[in-house]
Amino acid sequence: LLNSAISRTWDTSESAWLRIQLLRLNAQTSDNPLETMNTALDIAADEETSITFRMEAADTAATLLGKDGFEPEEEMIQRFQDVFETVINKSEDSSEKVNMLISFASYQWQNFKRNEASQLVVKAIDTAEQIKMRHIGRVFYQGALICRGGSISADKLRQWFTRSLESGDLSDDETVSALVELAEILQEDDDLLGAMERYETALRFEGARKDKSMAQTRFKLARVYFQLGRIPQAEKETREALSGDTLTGDDRVEVLMWFARAEIEQGHIERASENAHEALNNAVSLESRINVLKCQSEISELQQDFSGAIKALESIEELADGSFNPETEIELARLYNLEGTY
């Protein structure tokens, strides 16, 4: 329908608008993203096209760069950067400009250009604030997500996530995500009560839903409870996280192993052993299996079961196809000595 409308329309702003809509549709559905990318860059670089449509084309190109499975050559990426900078420099501050900056920042971050991505996010947020952009909360949220774990300070990220939550612009899922991210930042800064409050609020937003995300949030809250000395609450949230089959494989192992070590700290060795046994039955990756076996060896030694501790470490050697590990060998020698096997 768009192609038909374009063919019947003179070369006017209406036909340009139709071409942009077709371009956006192709960006979402086309099996040939390279062709769509070239078309988008051609429109964005065309001096005869209005800057508004050039910005939309450049934004579409930025979206394509982040598309799964699309790996453009370096020459194409360089062309995009040149066109992008030209369009950005010629355009007035606007919500479209902010969206372009965020889109390209996301691409740069995914390609490990963290400093460049952070600079683009800061520019996007500064621009959004200057123009008093509507729904600015989503810009704070997107920018904070992009820069998490980079060079932006924890204080700045905390401010951005907080402002996104205060804005009322986020969907329920985005609100939960922002709350969890904010809680993790507070937890890293040892503000355990602040982290606890955000995790609890996130769980209230998620309601009765039972999925992997909710189980992981419960696990994070359990760890905070444990650090605060609220052991019964920590145990309750951990069991809730493990209930059902929302967590499987190595995700489930991570929770079980933390629970096992928490039980060891409290002197509940038998319960720790049960958790470690279940963890081994769920472990998928080699690294995960080795970590569980190390824990099982520690538990067996605490139970004075030296042969069980040795058996767990020997299983690690079998998994490693006999490759020499000095730490394992030293630990085995120590356990052989404790068992009386010289």
Side-chain angles (χ1 to χ4, degrees), residues 154-328:
D155 284 343
K156 182 64 71 175
L157 290 173
R158 182 165 58 241
Q159 178 188 340
W160 288 350
F161 277 124
T162 299
R163 292 192 64 178
S164 74
L165 288 165
E166 292 172 346
S167 71
D169 294 330
L170 305 185
S171 66
D172 284 354
D173 286 344
E174 288 170 337
T175 297
V176 170
S177 170
L179 283 165
V180 170
E181 293 286 349
L182 181 55
E184 289 177 355
I185 293 170
L186 293 170
Q187 189 174 355
E188 290 164 7
D189 286 346
D190 291 326
D191 182 357
L192 298 180
L193 290 175
M196 179 189 74
E197 180 185 341
R198 271 63 174 197
Y199 284 135
E200 289 175 341
T201 305
L203 288 173
R204 284 197 294 272
F205 255 90
E206 290 186 301
R209 188 177 71 187
K210 286 204 170 189
D211 58 17
K212 180 178 177 180
S213 172
M214 188 171 188
Q216 289 174 328
T217 302
R218 288 194 179 281
F219 174 44
K220 291 170 183 175
L221 177 58
R223 297 178 77 155
V224 171
Y225 280 147
F226 189 80
Q227 287 177 277
L228 288 168
R230 303 184 179 190
I231 306 304
Q233 289 166 287
E235 291 179 347
K236 176 180 178 294
E237 290 301 333
T238 305
R239 291 193 175 93
E240 285 286 339
L242 292 169
S243 66
D245 57 359
T246 53
L247 288 180
T248 59
D250 289 347
D251 290 324
R252 189 174 187 83
V253 170
E254 181 186 2
V255 179
L256 286 164
M257 290 305 300
W258 176 83
F259 202 11
R261 295 198 178 279
E263 295 283 24
I264 290 172
E265 285 189 36
Q266 297 174 78
H268 303 152
I269 309 304
E270 286 298 326
R271 283 194 281 184
S273 179
E274 292 171 6
N275 287 327
H277 180 73
E278 184 182 347
L280 188 60
N281 289 336
N282 282 272
V284 175
S285 69
L286 176 62
E287 180 183 5
S288 183
R289 292 182 66 82
I290 288 174
N291 287 335
V292 175
L293 286 166
K294 284 180 179 177
C295 184
Q296 282 192 322
S297 180
E298 293 173 28
I299 292 170
S300 294
E301 183 177 354
L302 289 170
Q303 295 171 317
Q304 300 294 302
D305 178 10
F306 299 121
S307 62
I310 289 169
K311 183 179 178 182
L313 291 185
E314 288 176 339
S315 296
I316 292 176
E317 288 192 320
E318 291 174 11
L319 287 174
D321 291 329
S323 59
F324 182 75
N325 185 313
E327 292 181 8
T328 304

Side-chain angles (χ1 to χ4, degrees), residues 56-250:
E56 288 198 43
D59 186 42
T60 301
T63 304
L64 276 168
L65 281 176
K67 191 172 184 178
D68 289 342
F70 180 44
E71 298 180 1
E73 294 181 358
E74 191 61 36
E75 183 180 349
M76 168 82 65
I77 296 172
Q78 186 58 54
R79 185 189 176 206
F80 169 79
Q81 290 176 328
D82 293 341
V83 171
F84 176 85
E85 288 175 7
T86 300
V87 173
I88 283 292
N89 291 333
K90 289 193 174 185
S91 61
E92 296 181 357
D93 290 345
S94 63
S95 58
E96 290 79 11
K97 183 174 182 176
V98 171
N99 292 333
M100 281 178 61
L101 289 164
I102 289 292
S103 294
F104 192 41
S106 177
Y107 170 76
Q108 293 284 58
W109 188 267
Q110 291 168 21
N111 286 273
F112 306 103
K113 295 182 179 180
R114 303 293 164 85
N115 288 334
E116 293 90 334
S118 297
Q119 290 169 9
L120 288 166
V121 166
V122 170
K123 186 172 183 178
I125 288 176
D126 287 346
T127 303
E129 289 187 298
Q130 288 170 12
I131 64 173
K132 295 180 171 53
M133 181 175 169
R134 291 183 62 196
H135 308 303
I136 194 173
R138 301 204 74 254
V139 180
F140 283 118
Y141 170 71
Q142 292 169 328
L145 276 185
I146 291 169
C147 295
R148 187 80 166 93
S151 59
I152 298 294
S153 69
D155 284 343
K156 182 64 71 175
L157 290 173
R158 182 165 58 241
Q159 178 188 340
W160 288 350
F161 277 124
T162 299
R163 292 192 64 178
S164 74
L165 288 165
E166 292 172 346
S167 71
D169 294 330
L170 305 185
S171 66
D172 284 354
D173 286 344
E174 288 170 337
T175 297
V176 170
S177 170
L179 283 165
V180 170
E181 293 286 349
L182 181 55
E184 289 177 355
I185 293 170
L186 293 170
Q187 189 174 355
E188 290 164 7
D189 286 346
D190 291 326
D191 182 357
L192 298 180
L193 290 175
M196 179 189 74
E197 180 185 341
R198 271 63 174 197
Y199 284 135
E200 289 175 341
T201 305
L203 288 173
R204 284 197 294 272
F205 255 90
E206 290 186 301
R209 188 177 71 187
K210 286 204 170 189
D211 58 17
K212 180 178 177 180
S213 172
M214 188 171 188
Q216 289 174 328
T217 302
R218 288 194 179 281
F219 174 44
K220 291 170 183 175
L221 177 58
R223 297 178 77 155
V224 171
Y225 280 147
F226 189 80
Q227 287 177 277
L228 288 168
R230 303 184 179 190
I231 306 304
Q233 289 166 287
E235 291 179 347
K236 176 180 178 294
E237 290 301 333
T238 305
R239 291 193 175 93
E240 285 286 339
L242 292 169
S243 66
D245 57 359
T246 53
L247 288 180
T248 59
D250 289 347

